[in-house]
Amino acid sequence: MDDYPLLNLFWTMLLVFLWVLWFFLLFKVISDIFRDHSLGGWAKAGWLIFVIVLPYLGVLVYLIARGPGMGRRDAKQMKESEAAFRSYVQEAAGSGGGSADQLGKLAALKNKGDITQEEYDRAKAKLLA
């Protein structure tokens, strides 16, 4: 440990951190290129080649040119994902207006005399179908 001082250890840790940060940023930019629906196929291919062939310059130029839109696309994707999740949960759990609840309401209407037995049977068959 004498031949590797503490300052060199700190420098190495900083470089590893920056290296990991760089790859995160590179993958973020590449995923944003593919996620953007306003870009055509040739524009996506051009940005991708630019980012891969000249990675530092490509990512810097992409962030300057299209950086503000990245946040909007992230927010839009998060809202769409959340809406899809909520829709799935409501569909899976039922929103309180399930068949059993509606059959109970129909039975209550029949018992009060508001609908006839025939109307009840038709509505029940329609619900169960």
Side-chain angles (χ1 to χ4, degrees):
M1 196 74 172
D2 293 331
D3 55 341
Y4 202 70
L6 186 61
L7 189 58
N8 285 351
L9 178 66
F10 174 73
W11 183 248
T12 303
M13 288 174 55
L14 181 66
L15 289 177
V16 168
F17 172 75
L18 291 175
W19 187 69
V20 169
L21 185 67
W22 164 249
F23 275 108
F24 175 77
L25 184 60
L26 182 66
F27 290 132
K28 184 78 171 162
V29 166
I30 290 173
S31 67
D32 188 65
I33 290 171
F34 286 110
R35 180 178 49 208
D36 189 4
H37 298 296
S38 68
L39 286 176
W42 286 107
K44 287 181 183 184
W47 275 114
L48 190 61
I49 289 171
F50 188 40
V51 166
I52 290 175
V53 172
L54 298 169
Y56 293 108
L57 182 64
V59 167
L60 181 66
V61 170
Y62 187 85
L63 290 176
I64 291 170
R66 303 189 49 82
M70 288 177 72
R72 287 191 300 270
R73 285 185 289 277
D74 277 343
K76 181 181 174 188
Q77 183 181 14
M78 286 177 53
K79 285 180 184 177
E80 289 173 355
S81 296
E82 185 177 343
F85 176 73
R86 287 182 185 267
S87 172
Y88 171 75
V89 167
Q90 288 175 351
E91 180 182 314
S95 59
S99 300
D101 188 39
Q102 291 178 358
L103 281 174
K105 290 177 183 177
L106 278 174
L109 287 173
K110 185 186 75 146
N111 291 339
K112 285 194 325 188
D114 291 340
I115 59 173
T116 65
Q117 181 66 35
E118 293 171 2
E119 292 171 327
Y120 172 77
D121 291 336
R122 278 196 308 261
K124 180 180 172 185
K126 188 176 179 182
L127 265 176
L128 295 176

